[in-house]
Amino acid sequence: MSLLDDLLADLKLEGDQLWNAVAGLDADGWRTPTPAAGWTVATTVAHLLWTDEVAVVAATDKDAWDELVLVAIQDPTRYVDQQAIEVARLSPEALLARWGKAREALPAALRAVPNGQKMPWFGPPMSPTSMATARFMETWAHALDVCDALGVEPEQSDRIRHVAHLGVRTRDFAFSVHELPPPTEEFRTDLVSPSGDQWSWGPEDAAQTVTGSAWDFCLLVTQRVHRDDTDLVASGADAEQWLTIAQAFAGPAGEGRGKR
């Protein structure tokens, strides 16, 4: 199985779990507020389905993508959130039906991108593998918000390795969005997966390190937890600063979550 196939299989499983959590909700359930300020369960699912739809456009229809970007740049700071708000006005049945179509269309669209070719996106162009990783990260993180809203305990699976990898890879980005110079040397990151496996990135002899649970690390880089509420241990000033600003998602610096 290729890396893209592996990512898409894990994305489907993650999406299935969220689907099962919301499919039986009544109208009031869909309006339940999540920990993301101003977002309900409906807004969260609407955001995911809209982004899946837009990813399909980016992968398959350059003219339509260019038109979408022209609209987006008229209000770049609010455009994406506004789309979620608009789509969330659909009935629960319509939301699920539209999300189901988007979930089916995305894997085929990504697999159809020619080898070595990247697809346009709101930031730098992305390979299909990078897009699948980003869609997994967003689906997982937003599903956590829905689980929190509904009082459902999320499954802790080793699928989060995709999020952990993205969190490590976006270290320098996190510094740059805070207008800080990225560290000049790699860190060593050693994390324990939900199943107990050891996941590692960076040179073994790195001067600065981050250790702890992969689950807490993934919560942190998606800004679903405050730094002080994790078990992560940083050795080195730069590594500690990274853990206060880490973000695996694109866009401006996120506000993060308050301490429990």
Side-chain angles (χ1 to χ4, degrees), residues 197-214:
D197 288 344
Q198 182 82 22
W199 295 341
S200 300
W201 293 264
E204 293 185 9
D205 61 349
Q208 300 193 56
T209 63
V210 169
T211 60
S213 76

Side-chain angles (χ1 to χ4, degrees), residues 55-154:
V56 171
V57 172
T60 62
D61 192 334
K62 185 178 184 307
D63 290 340
W65 169 258
D66 290 343
E67 291 180 12
L68 186 149
V69 170
L70 289 176
V71 175
I73 61 177
Q74 295 176 24
D75 191 2
T77 60
R78 297 190 303 168
Y79 176 73
V80 173
D81 286 356
Q82 191 59 43
Q83 303 314 302
I85 293 169
E86 290 294 328
V87 175
R89 294 194 173 103
L90 294 171
S91 68
E93 295 78 14
L95 261 179
L96 282 174
R98 186 165 161 184
W99 186 32
K101 290 180 180 178
R103 292 183 64 204
E104 289 182 5
L106 181 62
L110 295 183
R111 288 190 177 104
V113 176
N115 288 336
Q117 183 174 312
K118 293 188 175 184
M119 48 194 289
W121 198 238
F122 295 105
M126 301 178 73
S127 69
T129 299
S130 294
M131 177 59 72
T133 304
R135 298 310 308 128
F136 180 92
M137 179 270 295
E138 270 218 307
T139 301
W140 177 78
H142 286 296
L144 292 175
D145 294 343
V146 172
C147 286
D148 189 286
L150 301 179
V152 175
E153 190 68 26

Side-chain angles (χ1 to χ4, degrees), residues 2-4 51 53 63 68 72 95 114 168 174 176 220 225 238 244:
S2 70
L3 177 55
L4 179 58
T51 310
E53 289 176 341
D63 290 340
L68 186 149
L95 261 179
V168 171
S176 66
L220 188 70
V225 70
D238 291 335
T244 67

